[in-house]
Amino acid sequence: MTSKERLTRLFEGKDIDRIPIWLLFPYFPSPSYADIYNLPGYKPILEQVSDFTDTIERINLDTGFCFNAHPMVNSVSRHYTDGDLIIDEQIIKFKDIVLKKSVKKGRSGTKVENYIKTPDDIDKIFSLPYKPAEPDPDMFLKKRIDFGERGLMGVSFNDPISVFHNLCMETDFPLYIMDETKKIYEFLEVMFERIYHTLEFLLKKNIGPVFWMDGPEYVTPPMISPDFFYDLAVKYDKRLFDLIRNYGMKSMLHCHGNIKKVLPGLNQMGFDSIHPVEAPPMGDCPLPVARAVFGKNVIITGNIQYGDLWNKTEEEMEQLVKTVIEEGREGRFILATTGGPSSKEINDTVIKNYSRIIETAMHYGKL
């Protein structure tokens, strides 16, 4: 089978020849990952990855600021120096409304400011004129043709809580949820309507087949109480995943961290696959615990820790892969790392462990 055939049949619940192997190596250049095709450290593993692994390629589409394509909402990027500071700014402007995100790097370190600095900035977002975001599908469709049989094409797509999270500083995010709960719920309702429109527009244009979302990981314990999980994530993502399924496309939820206490809520969402399901110490949910809740039809995608590529011997990695495969084969499963190749420099240990993952999975993952 080609990778595309293997993954398509897996998502459709049909028999496949072996467990898919996904190391999250991108096919197209990605700002999320290292430039693997031009960095010499990755060269020894690229042919093996190309020949024997399966890819779910995720592409970002331009949905504007907060899913807003109104032409009068201006987005301006600035890069400049001020003394010893190197400053990058992204500015959103409409009349007297200004929202600014900045990164300032200097001798004393790095200072980051995000768009929402006070609750009043949320009101500014509501005050911006709005036009639905309807991205041009041509770029995606052309890339899908180029991608061919290497796997499945996907879209990295924000849900309401991920939009809000990406506007805040990490330390402010839980405080806003606790202190400005009513306003946050209002924000999520507005974003959901915008996101739903854009998602349906893309589905009607045959964009897919996979949609990848990650919002719920921002509202899992311990940062956010499980009591908030339904209202912040489940109620919106379920309707988005239902829409994706109604158009014959597939969904994947990316959710690091401690998910054990919110497994019932995650199960309500109705996604096709979840990545990565992390056992202790990085998470709190061994794969069999998740399988008991999700059942055999949800594709669990995981769960080789990215850090283990540096920390494990080849023999330890082989045993880890065997264990994960045995746990995973109780239902639909993709053997995957928890993260992609983000490091610009990798050593021989990493190369050997990537290779051992592939060789072990090819041998023990036959179905």
Side-chain angles (χ1 to χ4, degrees):
M1 292 181 181
T2 67
S3 290
K4 182 177 180 179
E5 290 170 337
R6 183 176 299 113
L7 290 169
T8 299
R9 291 179 65 86
L10 178 69
F11 273 94
E12 292 176 348
K14 299 177 181 177
D15 291 339
I16 54 177
D17 56 344
R18 64 165 174 82
I19 289 172
I21 308 162
W22 186 29
L23 303 179
L24 280 70
F25 275 56
Y27 176 70
F28 299 104
S30 168
S32 300
Y33 298 124
D35 187 9
I36 57 173
Y37 300 106
N38 292 304
L39 291 171
Y42 285 92
K43 189 174 181 179
I45 196 63
L46 289 179
E47 184 175 353
Q48 200 173 14
V49 169
S50 176
D51 289 346
F52 300 112
T53 70
D54 308 281
T55 300
I56 299 170
E57 187 73 5
R58 292 153 296 153
I59 303 295
N60 289 300
L61 299 177
D62 184 6
T63 56
F65 179 73
C66 292
F67 282 79
N68 187 353
H70 198 285
M72 293 182 68
V73 177
N74 296 312
S75 178
V76 179
S77 297
R78 297 178 62 201
H79 176 84
Y80 61 99
T81 60
D82 183 5
D84 74 317
L85 292 176
I86 300 173
I87 303 172
D88 286 285
E89 293 179 337
Q90 190 72 29
I91 303 170
I92 304 298
K93 296 180 68 175
F94 170 73
K95 296 183 178 180
D96 60 343
I97 297 173
V98 179
L99 294 152
K100 182 167 67 175
K101 177 180 181 179
S102 67
V103 179
K104 300 177 181 178
K105 297 180 180 179
R107 295 191 191 97
S108 60
T110 300
K111 181 179 180 180
V112 180
E113 292 184 342
N114 217 326
Y115 291 110
I116 295 178
K117 300 173 182 64
T118 73
D120 290 341
D121 291 327
I122 301 172
D123 295 323
K124 290 180 182 179
I125 295 172
F126 290 151
S127 298
L128 297 172
Y130 168 66
K131 179 183 178 183
E134 297 182 348
D136 185 347
D138 287 350
M139 176 272 288
F140 183 92
L141 297 174
K142 289 175 182 176
K143 284 189 172 183
R144 191 167 66 189
I145 293 171
D146 185 16
F147 189 56
E149 296 293 313
R150 295 175 179 86
L152 295 180
M153 283 288 286
V155 178
S156 290
F157 198 78
N158 286 329
D159 61 357
I161 195 62
S162 62
V163 173
F164 182 68
H165 172 270
N166 294 341
L167 294 168
C168 302
M169 296 299 295
E170 200 69 45
T171 51
D172 291 337
F173 176 73
L175 298 178
Y176 286 136
I177 289 174
M178 297 297 296
D179 298 339
E180 301 288 339
T181 307
K182 183 178 179 181
K183 184 169 286 189
I184 302 311
Y185 286 162
E186 181 184 357
F187 179 91
L188 297 180
E189 289 290 332
V190 171
M191 285 304 116
F192 174 76
E193 295 301 325
R194 296 182 181 188
I195 290 167
Y196 193 95
H197 174 94
T198 301
L199 177 58
E200 188 163 38
F201 169 82
L202 294 173
L203 289 166
K204 288 179 178 178
K205 297 292 184 179
N206 194 35
I207 298 297
V210 177
F211 284 81
W212 167 278
M213 287 188 276
D214 65 359
E217 85 168 21
Y218 303 125
V219 289
T220 54
M223 291 299 288
I224 306 296
S225 166
D227 294 340
F228 287 88
F229 194 71
Y230 180 86
D231 287 329
L232 294 173
V234 178
K235 67 182 290 188
Y236 301 111
D237 286 9
K238 175 174 172 46
R239 284 180 279 176
L240 296 176
F241 290 137
D242 285 348
L243 180 63
I244 291 166
R245 180 173 290 109
N246 289 342
Y247 277 84
M249 299 299 182
K250 308 301 179 182
S251 59
M252 296 190 77
L253 178 69
H254 175 71
C255 192
H256 280 291
N258 297 330
I259 66 171
K260 191 173 180 180
K261 291 183 179 179
V262 295
L263 281 175
L266 289 170
N267 194 42
Q268 288 182 60
M269 290 183 181
F271 43 73
D272 294 295
S273 176
I274 183 170
H275 171 271
V277 180
E278 295 177 294
M282 297 303 291
D284 68 348
C285 188
L287 197 152
V289 173
R291 179 66 73 194
V293 174
F294 295 137
K296 293 184 176 182
N297 291 329
V298 170
I299 302 168
I300 293 180
T301 304
N303 56 356
I304 305 297
Q305 284 293 335
Y306 182 64
D308 285 345
L309 291 161
W310 277 262
N311 301 327
K312 300 291 185 183
T313 66
E314 289 182 77
E315 292 73 23
E316 289 172 331
M317 182 60 74
E318 179 173 330
Q319 185 56 52
L320 181 59
V321 172
K322 288 180 184 178
T323 299
V324 171
I325 286 175
E326 287 308 307
E327 292 177 346
R329 69 167 75 246
E330 294 301 315
R332 296 194 217 174
F333 181 67
I334 298 172
L335 179 75
T337 49
T338 57
S342 56
S343 298
K344 292 182 179 180
E345 296 183 7
I346 57 175
N347 56 34
D348 287 343
T349 297
V350 176
I351 292 294
K352 289 176 180 177
N353 276 330
Y354 269 132
S355 184
R356 186 60 67 95
I357 291 171
I358 295 169
E359 292 168 359
T360 306
M362 290 293 291
H363 182 73
Y364 290 96
K366 295 176 182 177
L367 298 174

